[in-house]
Amino acid sequence: MSDMFCFQCEQTTKSSACIGKAGICGKKADTAKLQDVLTGALVGLARAAQVNKPNASTHRTMLEALFTTVTNVNFDNEAVTRQIEAVRNAKNTLLAQVGNPGVNTGDYDIEKLWNDNEDIRSLKSLLLFGLRGMAAYAYHALILGYSDEEVNNFFYKGMFAIGEDWGMDELLPLVMESGTVNLKCMEMLDKANTETYGTPVSTTVPLTIEKGPFIVVTGHDLYDLYQLLEQTKDKGINIYTNGEMLPAHAYPKLKAYPHLKGNFGTAWYNQQKELDHIPAPVLYTTNCLMPVKDSYRDRVFTTAVVAYPGMVHIDEAKDFTPVIEKALELGGYTEEHRMTGINGGTQVTTGFGHGTVLSVADTVIDAVKAGAIKHFFLVGGCDGAKSGRNYYTEFVRQTPQDSVILTLACGKYRFNDLDWGEIGGLPRIMDMGQCNDAYSAIRVAVALAEAFDCGVNELPLTMVLSWYEQKAVSILLTLLSLGIKNIYLGPTLPAFVSPNVLNYLVDNFNISPISTPDEDLKKILG
């Protein structure tokens, strides 16, 4: 076995795996090996949970540790080592209450998985990476005080299976079940966000940065943004979102802060260019952290499970004083700084979650019946730096004028700054939010199917998805668990999916790899 083996994201070397001293994401081999040890320790914790019921503290440990292993979250060996210790302490606490458990509760050697039969490895990888993605969503909900026992218990069930010598007949149903549980998890997070911050509303967000001190907040965690907004009000500091934090502008409780001004930059993979010599601090709340360049190393702050060597970390107390002081010290731009989207646009629109879209359901249904809307496309997902992702921009460009484009996650930055016009009194492009807001897309699809008395697969709806990391895996499994077919997936298919497992997905769900926008649209629209 080489120093490193990792194929959990789309960016893998030669679409196969990152092997050797470092990954394409910038993760070093020693960090990757520690994350493997952490994963093996989580299997040990899941084994202990078979003999003694875990509690709320155990659940949080499970979520934080799984979240730590998601791509572009944690590059800090010391932080990962602390997570390993926390997991083993949680396991020992469970075992101390039962004496001799009589079963194997040891840690699992993850290299056994990487060297397993390719079909078993494929199914276990789908399960493991789906669990990692779901853990991120469950963590965000937990921070807001929301949890669900079925969701919590499935993490132990799934991680236990990773360490067992099970065959395809046992693993495949569990992979599909993970998609079902993730739907419940995304529903829980949707409830947590909307009950805490209100139902998102359509909101236009400028891309221009005003002069004066400011802070850029990236990631996904709305709670961290809320705390920062509270701590910076009346301090003369403006707040700008970045990446997946853009949809925060649509939540009434957050948009009520007048110093939440706009959005800085585009998708996560552009950060090394967009943050170069930025005169402001950047707060990373979740994943999407790339290796930090020297030109802005002194102004990067992390919080929650995000960590990078040498960066200032804000602990659970969420005292953002160091970030605030750095903003005042740097002073921001001396005059208005004009930024644009990837295509040169100066503003973007967000806030079309299921609450907003379903509030105008009658308008949508009437537009379909009148022939004004003939097709719906869901085009979105995780973006990335690898070539081929301009497909999504060109695909949207070529969609007919009588179609609506729903979008979500950071893949929307490929085209969300362009004016796509209106149709039936509605904008042709509707940003539904973060990656977890795939739940909104599902709610809208189900509502349309009910309105037209048909199945979701019978709707004039096509999903054209881009994937990068593990949250996209969990969403894909959710769509498959609902029986949704004819999904177009790109820019490449997951390297961890074996030919036999891929054939199963193609035969049962008609998953198609993207080709060219022209060819795919001809296939979709006939």
Side-chain angles (χ1 to χ4, degrees):
M1 172 64 67
S2 302
D3 290 340
M4 174 181 185
F5 178 87
C6 185
F7 60 177
Q8 71 175 5
C9 81
E10 194 271 335
Q11 215 169 233
T12 51
T13 305
K14 297 180 180 179
S15 298
S16 176
C18 292
I19 300 173
K21 300 300 181 183
I24 296 294
C25 69
K27 181 171 56 183
K28 297 293 190 295
D30 55 352
T31 307
K33 298 292 282 186
L34 280 172
Q35 291 188 354
D36 280 351
V37 172
L38 177 56
T39 302
L42 283 169
V43 174
L45 178 59
R47 287 168 169 171
Q50 307 301 307
V51 297
N52 191 19
K53 186 177 180 180
N55 55 33
S57 176
T58 324
H59 297 333
R60 177 156 185 160
T61 299
M62 172 68 78
L63 296 182
E64 289 182 344
L66 277 171
F67 196 175
T68 293
T69 62
V70 171
T71 303
N72 294 91
V73 170
N74 199 310
F75 295 80
D76 188 347
N77 289 354
E78 292 184 5
V80 179
T81 299
R82 287 194 295 271
Q83 288 284 4
I84 294 170
E85 293 172 352
V87 170
R88 288 174 174 167
N89 287 339
K91 180 179 74 172
N92 291 336
T93 297
L94 291 181
L95 295 179
Q97 301 167 11
V98 296
N100 184 1
V103 294
N104 178 18
T105 58
D107 292 356
Y108 175 67
D109 182 359
I110 199 70
E111 288 195 9
K112 292 180 181 179
L113 171 57
W114 305 145
N115 289 300
D116 211 333
N117 166 278
E118 68 173 354
D119 293 330
I120 299 301
R121 182 176 71 177
S122 180
L123 288 174
K124 285 189 175 182
S125 295
L126 273 168
L127 177 60
L128 173 61
F129 301 157
L131 287 170
R132 288 175 174 176
M134 184 166 67
Y137 299 146
Y139 175 85
H140 293 316
L142 181 64
I143 293 302
L144 295 177
Y146 292 71
S147 64
D148 181 271
E149 279 303 298
E150 180 184 351
V151 173
N152 288 332
N153 290 334
F154 188 79
F155 288 111
Y156 304 95
K157 181 178 182 180
M159 291 307 298
F160 178 81
I162 299 299
E164 294 300 293
D165 186 20
W166 290 357
M168 293 185 68
D169 290 343
E170 295 165 294
L171 290 171
L172 188 57
L174 199 57
V175 170
M176 290 296 106
E177 184 182 354
S178 71
T180 301
V181 176
N182 185 58
L183 177 63
K184 188 165 190 177
C185 184
M186 288 194 296
E187 180 182 19
M188 174 177 66
L189 179 54
D190 176 83
K191 181 179 180 181
N193 285 337
T194 54
E195 289 189 352
T196 304
Y197 304 114
T199 299
V201 296
S202 174
T203 303
T204 299
V205 183
L207 304 182
T208 298
I209 312 303
E210 298 181 11
K211 68 177 182 178
F214 68 96
I215 298 170
V216 175
V217 186
T218 191
H220 303 71
D221 202 300
L222 301 181
Y223 176 77
D224 288 330
L225 175 61
Y226 170 72
Q227 291 296 321
L228 184 63
L229 287 168
E230 270 291 297
Q231 293 177 39
T232 52
K233 61 184 180 182
D234 303 321
K235 292 185 181 296
I237 300 173
N238 290 329
I239 307 298
Y240 292 87
T241 56
N242 172 261
E244 284 269 56
M245 199 64 86
L246 167 64
H249 290 274
Y251 287 90
K253 188 171 181 178
L254 299 177
K255 70 181 299 181
Y257 289 90
H259 62 300
L260 178 60
K261 290 290 186 175
N263 193 67
F264 182 102
T266 54
W268 66 272
Y269 66 92
N270 285 321
Q271 66 188 255
Q272 290 182 326
K273 175 179 64 177
E274 293 175 343
L275 300 180
D276 193 38
H277 294 96
I278 178 178
V282 183
L283 175 65
Y284 286 86
T285 67
T286 58
N287 55 316
C288 304
L289 170 63
M290 290 184 71
V292 180
K293 293 176 63 177
D294 289 341
S295 64
Y296 58 92
R297 179 178 296 274
D298 65 332
R299 56 208 69 186
V300 167
F301 297 81
T302 61
T303 192
V305 299
V306 190
Y308 195 87
M311 303 298 101
V312 176
H313 188 78
I314 306 300
D315 63 20
E316 290 184 8
K318 300 298 180 183
D319 180 358
F320 292 114
T321 299
V323 190
I324 294 168
E325 290 177 345
K326 179 60 72 171
L328 294 172
E329 172 194 334
L330 293 170
Y333 294 110
T334 56
E335 58 185 27
E336 185 177 82
H337 181 70
R338 294 184 178 275
M339 300 186 75
T340 65
I342 290 176
N343 303 287
T346 58
Q347 62 183 32
V348 293
T349 303
T350 188
F352 290 94
H354 64 89
T356 300
V357 176
L358 294 181
S359 70
V360 293
D362 290 343
T363 301
V364 175
I365 293 168
D366 289 345
V368 173
K369 290 180 177 178
I373 299 176
K374 292 185 178 177
H375 206 91
F376 295 87
F377 294 96
L378 175 61
V379 185
C382 301
D383 205 353
K386 187 183 285 188
S387 61
R389 290 180 179 266
N390 60 331
Y391 165 94
Y392 297 93
T393 308
E394 294 307 313
F395 184 93
V396 172
R397 286 186 191 276
Q398 294 183 36
T399 54
Q401 289 298 308
D402 55 6
S403 62
V404 168
I405 300 104
L406 305 175
T407 190
L408 47 80
C410 62
K412 60 177 169 271
Y413 283 105
R414 293 278 172 174
F415 47 79
N416 70 338
D417 63 317
L418 293 171
D419 183 3
W420 300 99
E422 293 188 349
I423 180 171
L426 299 169
R428 278 195 65 224
I429 181 171
M430 302 183 193
D431 174 15
M432 308 194 87
Q434 297 180 341
C435 54
N436 50 281
D437 290 310
Y439 173 72
S440 278
I442 292 168
R443 283 282 305 272
V444 170
V446 170
L448 287 173
E450 291 175 350
F452 291 102
D453 193 24
C454 66
V456 171
N457 291 317
E458 298 173 275
L459 288 171
L461 167 67
T462 305
M463 298 188 180
V464 185
L465 305 180
S466 57
W467 82 282
Y468 172 73
E469 42 90 311
Q470 295 76 68
K471 284 180 281 186
V473 175
S474 63
I475 290 170
L476 177 62
L477 293 177
T478 293
L479 296 174
L480 299 183
S481 72
L482 291 168
I484 295 176
K485 299 182 178 181
N486 305 313
I487 296 171
Y488 287 75
L489 186 65
T492 60
L493 294 178
F496 52 81
V497 174
S498 68
N500 286 333
V501 172
L502 177 60
N503 288 337
Y504 172 85
L505 297 177
V506 171
D507 291 344
N508 288 273
F509 300 100
N510 198 28
I511 287 183
S512 299
I514 60 172
S515 57
T516 67
D518 184 61
E519 291 176 2
D520 289 343
L521 279 167
K522 286 180 180 177
K523 183 178 177 182
I524 293 166
L525 300 174

